[in-house]
Amino acid sequence: METPAAATLAGSFFPSFLFLVCGTLVAAVLGAAHSLGLLYRLTHKVDKASIRHGGESVAAVLKAHGVRFLFTLVGGHISPLLVACEKLGIHVVDTRHEVTAVFAADAVARLTGTVGVAAVTAGPGLTNTVTAVKNAQIAQSPVLLLGGAASILLQNRGALQAIDQMSLFRPLCKFCASVKRVRDIMPTLRAAMAAAQSGTPGPVFVELPIDVLYPYFMVQKEISSTRQPKDIMGRVVSWYLDNYLANLFAGAWEPQCEGPLPLDIPQASPQQVQRCVEILSRAKRPLLVVGSQALLPPTPADKLRAAVEALGVPCFLGGMARGLLGRRHPLHIRQNRSATLKKADVVLLAGIVCDFRLSYGRVLSRSSKIIIVNRNRKEMLINSDMFWKPQEAVQGDVGSFMVKLEEGLRGQTWPSDWAEELRQADQKKEQSFWEKAMMPVAQHLNPVRVLQLVEETLPDNSILVMDGGDFVGTAAYLVRPRGPLCWLDPGAFGTLGVGAGFALGAKLCRPDAEVWCLFGDGAFGYSLIEFDTFVRHKIPVMALIGNDAGWTQISREQVPCLGSNVACGLAYTDYHKAAMGLGAQGLLLSRENEDQVVKVLRDAQQQCRDGHPVVVNILISRTDFRDGSIAM
């Protein structure tokens, strides 16, 4: 027999249960309506008559961010954005390999302090860029990679060139996004551009499926059937496709903000700056090591240079900081870095980290006080638990920090004998190079002498691009960039093949500069075909190839250690003739005209000034001039 209490409980339970079920159903219906875009389309309509397309939205954002160049290798997936960029006056430059397009965007980013942009087609077009994107990540270059993709509906269904591109680029990029609706193009690109430049700069990737780039009528033609289905399943599928199409284009052409978002750039605190001021003020043998990060915006290069000069501390310059103080500044020390670091009592690492380039920190003396400043805290402290310890680790923008540090130390001087000691050691090493340049070689040309003549011929308005091993490694000791942001090398990743892309980006950014590319003959193999690009786009750059017919940097170690030269041999190939076949100018330097090196270089300069890209094929000796500091 049911008790009154039980009856009361049952009476209250069923309404509550019914309310819960109804609420769940309503929530499920609203969730489904939201995911299908039904709620959004109550207030945002689809303009089915519009012939506009998503490529125009891409171009509008790039234009609003000051993008002047778009590097690409054409593909049907991305054609709309290429055409739209051209209409807005963005210079579309097509290369012969996708990796070159990204290297060119990287160069633009480094030289302008803005985001460099490349666009490539889906699948193999994107996989061809992986090396360049990884190089940009390690070099901390803000590059935006736009990638085409298969239709959203056809992904994971075996469509042409459809792969999981997002998984490929997530480990390489600071920001990855796949655009699902036309209305999302602008906010996604704005977020990507801000992410590329904020914090520690780096590459970002935005995937643009083909159906968000083409106009409504073309996508409709591909998706919708002209016949009305009669069965229930066919009608369901037809409704789903029509709804997908409507959601794809709903609100597509409503006004949106196109301009840049605020950037998040870390800054050193006043307390940190003051502690560093106090450490440096007590130094007797201070030393400054400046890396690429110091040249990042917002501090202009000339302001950073003024701060370093006013600080008065002897310095080594690496990466993009090469040339910061010009060709022959008394504070710039070029040689004997390891020995000098051991002698210094205070070392300021400004935008450089203790990786292999500083022997993981082992070149630093345990008795030295180390100050390190970097935007990236993790990189800043690398190997600090093993070989070195910072006295002060400052996470913040390097250029801004240097300006504030100089202000705090204004009027401070250091013993002059320290700087004089370093300059004398520098001059002694320079003299050893001169002696090597005068040494006779068995055949071909002495590469050290050739590079000394390059140094003497190089104009003040030049930009140096470095791509290679042995020849380029030697050039790093001998050839001096003439000013800040006039030196481009791959960076810590040590990538071969950057030359053509870097030269392309550099010449477009600075059309009045002479772009001199120093190649090893092995590295030049990656770039040769791009002389077709230079000719087609009328981009005059000059390539100097140190041709010793081999991968000599590898061979030099491989043969004595392992007893074989396997895979290291090349030939004294007529690269200058190959370039002529592509429409460029070609010149040869060999033993037969060794007394005309400067004349040939001048001729190459004049050809560039007349608007022609030039390849100078320099046949050099493999003679080993190594002394522990120069790779020959």
Side-chain angles (χ1 to χ4, degrees), residues 342 349 353-366 382-384 386-389:
K342 289 290 187 185
L349 303 176
V353 298
C354 291
D355 57 12
F356 70 93
R357 291 167 292 182
L358 290 180
S359 190
Y360 310 100
R362 283 178 291 194
V363 295
L364 301 173
S365 172
R366 292 281 185 179
I382 191 171
N383 298 313
S384 63
M386 297 178 64
F387 302 118
W388 70 287
K389 288 288 183 185

Side-chain angles (χ1 to χ4, degrees), residues 184-330:
D184 294 334
I185 291 175
M186 287 189 179
T188 302
L189 288 179
R190 294 176 70 219
M193 298 283 272
Q197 300 172 88
S198 293
T200 304
V204 294
F205 172 59
V206 176
E207 181 183 72
L208 296 162
I210 194 168
D211 43 359
V212 303
L213 287 180
Y214 279 82
Y216 180 91
F217 72 93
M218 294 183 68
V219 179
Q220 181 188 39
K221 183 179 179 181
E222 293 296 320
I223 289 178
S224 300
S225 174
T226 56
R227 296 181 179 180
Q228 185 66 29
K230 297 179 180 180
D231 61 301
I232 294 177
M233 182 56 69
R235 291 178 181 178
V236 171
V237 171
S238 179
W239 175 88
Y240 177 81
L241 294 177
D242 289 343
N243 182 75
Y244 166 80
L245 182 62
N247 191 39
L248 189 66
F249 283 90
W253 315 126
E254 295 175 4
Q256 294 189 59
C257 186
E258 302 166 355
L261 292 168
L263 303 182
D264 180 16
I265 299 176
Q267 297 290 338
S269 70
Q271 294 79 12
Q272 288 175 312
V273 174
Q274 183 57 37
R275 287 196 295 269
C276 295
V277 166
E278 293 170 2
I279 293 170
L280 263 172
S281 66
R282 294 191 289 269
K284 302 299 182 184
R285 298 184 306 280
L287 189 66
L288 176 61
V289 185
V290 185
S292 298
Q293 251 195 39
L295 275 295
L296 290 174
T299 305
D302 56 352
K303 190 173 183 180
L304 174 65
R305 174 176 180 164
V308 171
E309 287 180 319
L311 197 60
V313 173
C315 63
F316 288 95
L317 305 173
M320 290 298 295
R322 289 175 181 265
L324 177 66
L325 298 179
R327 186 181 182 189
R328 295 186 181 276
H329 198 284

